[in-house]
Amino acid sequence: MTPGHDTARPLLSVEGLTIDLPGVQPGLVEDVTFQVREGHCTALIGESGCGKTLTSMSILGLLPASVRVSAGSVWFDGVDLLTRTPRQLRRVRGGPVGMIFQEPMSSLNPTMTVGDQIAEARRLHLGERRKTALARARELLERVGIPNAARRIGAYPHEMSGGMQQRVMIAAAIACEPRLIIADEPTTALDVTIQAEILALLRDLQRDLDLAVLLVTHDLGVVADFCDDVVVMYAGHIAERTTVDGLFYDPAHPYSSALLAAVPQVGQARSRLTVIPGRVPSAGGLPAGCRFEPRCAHAQSPCGERQPDVSLGDGRRTRCGRVASGELTLQGALRG
Amino acid sequence: MSTRMIIRRLGGGLLVLWLVSILTFLLVHLIPGDPAEVIAGENASQADVERIRTELGLDRPVLTQYVTWLSGVLRGDLGHSLFTGKSVVTSIAESAPPTLVITIMAIVLAVLVGVSAGTVAGLTQGSRVDRLVSTLATLGIAMPSFWLAMVLVSIFSLTNPWLPATGYADLGEGFGTWLSHVILPSTALGLATAAELARHTRGCVADVLTRPYVRTARARGASGAWLVRRHILRNAAIPVVTVLGLQAGRLLGGAIVIEAVFGISGLGTLAVNAVLQRNYPVIQGYVLLCAVVVVLLNLIVDLAYGWINPKVRTA
Ligand SMILES: Nc1ncnc2c1ncn2[C@@H]1O[C@H](COP(=O)(O)OP(=O)(O)OP(=O)(O)O)[C@@H](O)[C@H]1O
Ligand SMILES: [Mg+2]
């Protein structure tokens, strides 16, 4: 856990990202701004439907055809990915940026050997021949902890367990020595014991390869163990942007502290964050003021009318006016 | 596909053929009354009836007849035509080439046209091309093949004298001549199958496009022809192959109608005449041949299926 004022420069910088469902619903994701620093991990947390997947998919232009980015920019290594041509974008996908998805079984091609799927990025990006790329794929399988790699290289996804499949996904994502990994709930679909193994592997790789990671997760234990910076999303925008220490010791948004309260013992409970009463409003039914106000235990009269976005210094921001004005101090998970 | 599985499929095919052989044999005995008299017809002399009776061995016990008949079949002896005395195997061998050529060409055409059109439509859902393909496919499925054949003849043979309207030419008579006789019948026969395949391929491609593994491949930098060939088509092909297997058997039957329209004397003509004349040995030969072809087709489809789908291969 590195403190927030660490000087590593941002590798990925998302600015004012807004995603619409054109003609149906603007603002599925609205004005989202955050950074992922070189060699560091940023967690993207929030309840189901808050826009985490849309945000992470938009970075490499992988949104479904029905939704569209209507504003904002995604700076990666000094260029705005949103202004790249499809061709330029393809060079980034699977090259300097790798992605890992939630369901390893459905995210791997059932008709292709795992070796070919790992080798694919190297053939596409480095122009390697199949044989060379497969030899490298074997090393990668060993690297992600799959025994008997030489034989496993010719296996098909359905011949492997979920944990093995996710290791294959990870091997494929790091095949071209990326600098950034985007992982959308990489362990949610797995058994609890396997989850820990996969996370340990990810952390290991992050240190060894000096990877920056954007980790979408429901698991605050993972955030505590693994991440440096935290982005808390609520109903399509960012409720709070902070560091890991900030989140656990000094949350600056009632939604964050409600999330902490929903997990009694940090580091052990791995339940989904669904224990806060009420539901996340959809983009069509947002309150006029603070989006969390209807569910907030600390809401007072002006909360229903204003939607502030206040800097707290050190790159931290909150959308809670009461916390920003010093009127409200919230309970952290590790305090008292 | 494992050798064990291939052997199992082969065994299944042989079992089907054996059952068909029994049914085919019983064909003669299912005729009510005295088969020899019925086959000979109303105006036949007693001598004719007796000749047919011995020709078919009807005077012996049924089981003996079956064993004799089956051992003949296994040695490639399907008996003789009741009227011309010609060997059934020779008759079939003479009439099979045009039918087989037209059917195979129809399948090739259907796969080429149907799969490509369906793929393009599936990849560009909602586009003008997609709508055009869908409309044409519906038309193609709705149109009876004989009518399509007549339309093709009127356009390409009568209005414009480009292609012959009737008849068949062997490959020995020159590639051009052969092709010019084959194009129209196989097009008429194959278009409905092409339409069916286009519809299925479109649906399968559209379905595969929504699968997470396609998104994963894109996230890896795959695109264009690479993405289509390695990730989309291979997965979309699995259900399409099954449809093709069903269609191939249907095409062989459809060839009878097409032969009639184009005045080609092939297997269809042979079978129709045999039925009209109650020429049982020829009918039996035709039914057996069809069974063998269908069993073979199914075997090929199974093998192709296993080759495309690793889940079947390793099962
Ligand atoms: N293709 C789409 N078309 C229309 N709406 C969509 C689409 N994808 C997502 N949405 C909507 O956008 C909102 C955000 O979805 P998103 O998948 O980003 O949530 P999430 O935070 O990843 O949730 P989860 O934790 O369940 O994965 C949801 O309300 C969802 O209904
Ligand atoms: Mg999601």
Side-chain angles (χ1 to χ4, degrees), chain A residues 21 28 46-55 64 66-67 102 184-185 218 272:
Chain A
L21 192 57
L28 289 179
E47 286 164 292
S48 206
C50 283
K52 306 181 297 294
T53 296
L54 286 181
T55 302
S66 54
V67 295
Q102 179 173 346
D184 188 354
E185 303 193 41
H218 277 107
R272 288 175 75 91

Side-chain angles (χ1 to χ4, degrees), chain A residues 53 57 60 62 90 93-95 97 99 101 105-112 117-118 120-121 123-125 156 158-159 169 172, chain B residues 211-224 226-227 230-232 234-235 238 307-315:
Chain A
T53 296
M57 290 294 165
L60 289 182
L62 292 170
R90 285 204 296 274
R93 294 176 183 162
V97 182
M99 284 196 81
F101 299 96
M105 182 59 172
S106 55
S107 298
L108 288 169
N109 184 340
T111 60
M112 211 186 214
Q117 297 189 61
I118 297 170
E120 186 169 31
R123 295 174 68 188
L124 285 163
H125 292 279
Y156 288 90
H158 72 273
E159 300 170 274
M169 281 283 282
Chain B
R211 297 302 172 99
Y213 56 79
V214 172
R215 183 190 56 193
T216 309
R218 284 209 174 101
R220 224 177 262 153
S223 66
W226 178 293
L227 183 73
R230 281 160 219 262
H231 296 281
I232 298 173
R234 185 117 192 215
N235 284 287
I238 293 171
W307 177 68
I308 297 173
N309 188 352
K311 282 188 197 168
V312 171
R313 203 182 317 160
T314 50

Side-chain angles (χ1 to χ4, degrees), chain A residues 161-235:
Chain A
S161 67
M164 288 283 180
Q165 290 168 352
Q166 197 58 299
R167 284 173 197 270
V168 168
M169 281 283 282
I170 293 172
I174 60 168
C176 289
E177 285 131 42
R179 297 166 65 197
L180 172 69
I181 290 284
I182 300 170
D184 188 354
E185 303 193 41
T187 59
T188 310
L190 305 174
D191 289 347
V192 177
T193 46
I194 311 291
Q195 289 188 359
E197 286 175 30
I198 296 291
L199 283 164
L201 170 67
L202 271 177
R203 190 167 38 204
D204 219 42
L205 290 170
Q206 191 213 352
R207 292 205 183 120
D208 280 9
L209 309 174
D210 197 28
L211 288 170
V213 178
L214 175 62
L215 182 70
V216 176
T217 182
H218 277 107
D219 189 333
L220 287 176
V222 172
V223 176
D225 289 350
F226 191 11
C227 298
D228 306 289
D229 304 313
V230 182
V231 177
V232 183
M233 282 193 80
Y234 184 76

Side-chain angles (χ1 to χ4, degrees), chain B residues 18 49 70 74 98 101 118 129 137-138 171 178 189-190 205 226 240 243 249 253 289-290 309:
Chain B
W18 179 61
V49 174
L70 188 65
L74 290 177
V101 164
V129 177
T138 311
L171 196 50
W178 170 79
L189 182 58
V205 166
W226 178 293
V240 170
V243 174
L289 177 74
C290 288
N309 188 352

Side-chain angles (χ1 to χ4, degrees), chain A residues 4-5 241-243 252 310-318:
Chain A
H5 45 263
R241 220 172 76 200
T242 182
T243 60
V310 185
S311 168
L312 304 172
D314 287 344
R316 296 175 55 183
R317 298 188 84 85
T318 180

Side-chain angles (χ1 to χ4, degrees), chain A residues 4-316:
Chain A
H5 45 263
D6 189 304
T7 49
R9 72 184 183 94
L11 177 63
L12 177 76
S13 182
V14 174
E15 287 172 11
L17 181 74
T18 299
I19 300 173
D20 297 340
L21 192 57
V24 181
Q25 182 57 61
L28 289 179
V29 165
E30 202 166 51
D31 194 22
V32 163
T33 300
F34 67 91
Q35 276 96 40
V36 182
R37 292 176 293 151
E38 204 120 40
H40 288 65
C41 176
T42 295
L44 194 54
I45 63 173
E47 286 164 292
S48 206
C50 283
K52 306 181 297 294
T53 296
L54 286 181
T55 302
S56 53
M57 290 294 165
S58 68
I59 294 168
L60 289 182
L62 292 170
L63 288 173
S66 54
V67 295
R68 189 154 299 145
V69 172
S70 59
S73 39
V74 174
W75 296 94
F76 175 76
D77 203 20
V79 294
D80 183 1
L81 295 182
L82 296 183
T83 63
R84 300 288 92 178
T85 62
R87 221 190 128 126
Q88 289 168 321
L89 205 54
R90 285 204 296 274
R91 266 189 231 133
V92 180
R93 294 176 183 162
V97 182
M99 284 196 81
I100 301 166
F101 299 96
Q102 179 173 346
E103 302 266 356
M105 182 59 172
S106 55
S107 298
L108 288 169
N109 184 340
T111 60
M112 211 186 214
T113 63
V114 298
D116 277 322
Q117 297 189 61
I118 297 170
E120 186 169 31
R122 292 190 73 85
R123 295 174 68 188
L124 285 163
H125 292 279
L126 310 173
E128 276 183 2
R129 309 186 56 116
R130 180 154 182 255
K131 235 183 117 189
T132 324
L134 278 177
R136 179 78 184 114
R138 212 198 64 227
E139 293 169 25
L140 284 161
L141 270 188
E142 275 162 17
R143 180 66 193 83
V144 297
I146 292 189
N148 233 332
R151 202 167 50 81
R152 288 297 192 154
I153 207 91
Y156 288 90
H158 72 273
E159 300 170 274
M160 295 184 149
S161 67
M164 288 283 180
Q165 290 168 352
Q166 197 58 299
R167 284 173 197 270
V168 168
M169 281 283 282
I170 293 172
I174 60 168
C176 289
E177 285 131 42
R179 297 166 65 197
L180 172 69
I181 290 284
I182 300 170
D184 188 354
E185 303 193 41
T187 59
T188 310
L190 305 174
D191 289 347
V192 177
T193 46
I194 311 291
Q195 289 188 359
E197 286 175 30
I198 296 291
L199 283 164
L201 170 67
L202 271 177
R203 190 167 38 204
D204 219 42
L205 290 170
Q206 191 213 352
R207 292 205 183 120
D208 280 9
L209 309 174
D210 197 28
L211 288 170
V213 178
L214 175 62
L215 182 70
V216 176
T217 182
H218 277 107
D219 189 333
L220 287 176
V222 172
V223 176
D225 289 350
F226 191 11
C227 298
D228 306 289
D229 304 313
V230 182
V231 177
V232 183
M233 282 193 80
Y234 184 76
H237 72 181
I238 294 181
E240 176 181 3
R241 220 172 76 200
T242 182
T243 60
V244 148
D245 289 352
L247 177 74
F248 287 103
Y249 293 106
D250 186 17
H253 197 288
Y255 181 57
S256 311
S257 68
L259 289 180
L260 294 176
V263 185
Q265 282 159 305
V266 175
Q268 284 178 16
R270 309 218 177 241
S271 58
R272 288 175 75 91
L273 308 177
T274 51
V275 206
I276 306 167
R279 291 180 53 197
V280 184
S282 68
L286 293 174
C290 171
R291 292 183 184 179
F292 188 56
E293 188 258 352
R295 299 170 74 192
C296 182
H298 308 279
Q300 282 184 359
S301 64
C303 290
E305 285 123 52
R306 57 184 189 178
Q307 240 191 71
D309 182 13
V310 185
S311 168
L312 304 172
D314 287 344
R316 296 175 55 183

